[in-house]
């Protein structure tokens, strides 16, 4: 039978860290739900579709589907369906990769760029509103504190 190792009792600081973690999760869920709803209502789109357009916007020359799925940390299948619909809507374009018959580069069309820019501007305002209108220095302070937690707890910090 496995014995349960005795652990040190949680400190007051660890209790506060747990409260912080739960609050971060609650805020993340609240902001994400708000963004999903506003994207649906105001642009008749989804958050995953917005995320794909955002990645393609950053890589104007295009991305291979495998690069896109890696960048978004989702499966190729998830990305393929979204890219198919973007292409059907005239917002994205697949361009064959010379020398690789199976690969295609995906990029936004001019119309896709214009629509994404409108969505991104609205998205930025919505995030600000959802975070209770934290002013610049308040947001910067919280960001610095979370960056510190990232660098202390994760070698993959972005």
């Amino acid at each position: 039978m496995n014995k349960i190792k005795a652990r040190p009792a949680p400190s007051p600081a660890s209790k506060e860290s747990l409260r912080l973690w739960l609050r971060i999760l609650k805020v993340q869920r609240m902001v994400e739900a708000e963004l999903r709803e506003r994207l649906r209502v105001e642009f008749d789109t989804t958050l995953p579709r917005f995320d794909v357009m955002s990645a393609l916007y950053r890589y104007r020359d295009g991305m291979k589907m495998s690069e896109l799925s890696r960048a978004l940390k989702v499966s190729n299948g998830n990305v393929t369906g979204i890219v198919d619909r973007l292409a059907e809507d005239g917002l994205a374009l697949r361009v064959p990769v010379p020398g690789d018959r199976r690969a295609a580069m995906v990029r936004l069309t001019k119309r896709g760029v214009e629509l994404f820019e409108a969505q991104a501007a609205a998205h930025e305002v919505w995030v600000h509103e959802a975070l209770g209108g934290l002013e610049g220095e308040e947001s910067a302070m919280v960001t610095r504190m979370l960056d510190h937690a990232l660098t202390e707890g994760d070698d993959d910090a972005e």
Side-chain angles (χ1 to χ4, degrees), residues 38-122:
R38 286 189 166 192
L39 284 166
R40 184 186 66 75
V41 168
E42 296 191 30
F43 290 100
D44 191 28
T45 195
T46 64
L47 188 55
R49 186 172 159 123
F50 175 85
D51 290 341
V52 167
M53 291 180 75
S54 177
L56 293 175
Y57 185 81
R58 286 190 302 273
Y59 293 89
R60 297 293 184 88
D61 292 335
M63 301 175 79
K64 287 184 180 179
M65 294 292 283
S66 58
E67 294 171 333
L68 184 55
S69 62
R70 226 179 357 265
L72 296 172
K73 296 179 173 65
V74 298
S75 73
N76 283 342
N78 287 349
V79 169
T80 299
I82 293 170
V83 169
D84 287 346
R85 288 185 295 282
L86 289 171
E88 288 168 15
D89 294 342
L91 302 173
L93 178 64
R94 282 190 174 92
V95 179
V97 174
D100 188 348
R101 291 189 332 229
R102 297 181 313 156
M105 297 289 282
V106 181
R107 65 176 176 80
L108 292 177
T109 62
K110 182 176 188 277
R111 187 167 151 243
V113 168
E114 290 168 355
L115 178 60
F116 177 74
E117 287 174 345
Q119 292 173 351

Side-chain angles (χ1 to χ4, degrees), residues 127-139:
V127 169
H128 180 69
E129 291 171 356
L131 291 175
L134 288 174
E135 294 308 316
E137 186 49 42
E138 294 167 320
S139 292

